[in-house]
Amino acid sequence: AQSVAQPEDQVNVAEGNPLTVKCTYSVSGNPYLFWYVQYPNRGLQFLLKYITGDNLVKGSYGFEAEFNKSQTSFHLKKPSALVSDSALYFCAVRDRGGGNDYKLSFGAGTTVTVRA
Amino acid sequence: EAEVAQSPRYKITEKSQAVAFWCDPISGHATLYWYRQILGQGPELLVQFQDESVVDDSQLPKDRFSAERLKGVDSTLKIQPAELGDSAMYLCASSPGTGISTDTQYFGPGTRLTVL
């Protein structure tokens, strides 16, 4: 079975500082990995995904994520956080070759607060 | 930019009543998903449609929940009767292809259901 863990419920950073949101995954095959962001009372917005190739993936709003197969991680990063980045962030995984090749499994989410 | 539409945005109902949610996916998207998101958790898949056919409804509580996508375009999710534990955000998402692993799912704004 596939699963995702987001070990931090909350991340607090000052505006202008680097932001990192952690994600680790467990799959039986090779993973497809996704990051979404959710603002209050809104749906999820797609940020980026890793399918194959370069381990560093660049996405929307200046975010990037690094795929690390040996550590089974896919941490989300932004070099300089903005107050407007304050939101709930979800990591998700699909398992290639594990049978559930369409089902997306989400982590519990990490609340990011960027203070001015 | 095309978006997934959902209505209503908010619904308050009493337990034992019937409720229905509507979703209109991005035009041309063959796959449609309904998710339930309980406060403080990530979304969980309830049902997936490929065109008008159900691909996966293994997590749908079929004694009270039903979903349909009659013409392979818009979809309705119904709960009858509603229970207190059904209070959650109901999210609809769509993706272009046939539910293949690399597809990105695009989410609507959600319907916030409160059961009193």
Side-chain angles (χ1 to χ4, degrees):
Chain A
Q2 58 192 30
S3 65
V4 168
Q6 295 182 240
E8 300 165 317
D9 292 336
Q10 291 194 339
V11 170
N12 298 302
V13 298
E15 188 172 35
N17 281 2
L19 169 63
T20 298
V21 186
K22 296 179 180 178
C23 171
T24 59
Y25 65 88
S26 175
V27 296
S28 58
N30 291 315
Y32 292 148
L33 294 154
F34 301 77
W35 274 103
Y36 286 85
V37 60
Q38 185 176 34
Y39 296 97
N41 290 313
R42 300 297 302 274
L44 278 66
Q45 295 180 27
F46 170 72
L47 284 178
L48 50 81
K49 66 182 178 183
Y50 170 80
I51 302 301
T52 187
D54 193 347
N55 289 343
L56 184 64
V57 179
K58 294 188 182 296
S60 305
Y61 312 120
F63 283 94
E64 58 187 29
E66 185 169 11
F67 172 66
N68 187 317
K69 188 173 183 178
S70 63
Q71 297 185 3
T72 62
S73 67
F74 189 56
H75 300 332
L76 182 70
K77 300 180 181 181
K78 186 171 184 179
S80 179
L82 301 173
V83 172
S84 57
D85 293 329
S86 299
L88 183 57
Y89 290 79
F90 289 99
C91 182
V93 66
R94 269 188 176 134
D95 189 348
R96 280 188 282 168
N100 295 327
D101 63 353
Y102 53 81
K103 186 174 181 178
L104 205 57
S105 296
F106 286 85
T110 298
T111 299
V112 171
T113 302
V114 182
R115 60 186 183 276
Chain B
E1 181 177 313
E3 296 182 342
V4 176
Q6 288 188 250
S7 66
R9 291 292 310 279
Y10 303 92
K11 179 69 177 179
I12 300 174
T13 190
E14 295 184 344
K15 63 180 182 179
S16 79
Q17 296 298 305
V19 293
F21 313 131
W22 177 79
C23 172
D24 191 12
I26 294 172
S27 178
H29 279 196
T31 308
L32 185 146
Y33 313 79
W34 282 102
Y35 287 87
R36 177 169 59 186
Q37 184 182 18
I38 296 170
L39 193 63
Q41 299 181 18
E44 293 184 324
L45 182 69
L46 291 174
V47 61
Q48 177 183 344
F49 288 92
Q50 179 63 45
D51 298 312
E52 67 274 11
S53 300
V54 173
V55 174
D56 183 1
D57 63 356
S58 59
Q59 301 303 310
L60 189 71
K62 299 181 187 63
D63 57 334
R64 297 185 301 107
F65 286 65
S66 64
E68 60 183 16
R69 193 185 184 199
L70 292 176
K71 296 183 179 179
V73 181
D74 59 338
S75 176
T76 301
L77 178 70
K78 297 179 181 178
I79 308 174
Q80 183 173 14
E83 296 181 352
L84 295 177
D86 296 332
S87 294
M89 174 79 89
Y90 290 83
L91 295 165
C92 180
S94 69
S95 62
T98 56
I100 58 176
S101 303
T102 57
D103 267 359
T104 297
Q105 294 181 21
Y106 296 93
F107 285 79
T111 296
R112 169 73 67 188
L113 173 66
T114 302
V115 182
L116 303 177

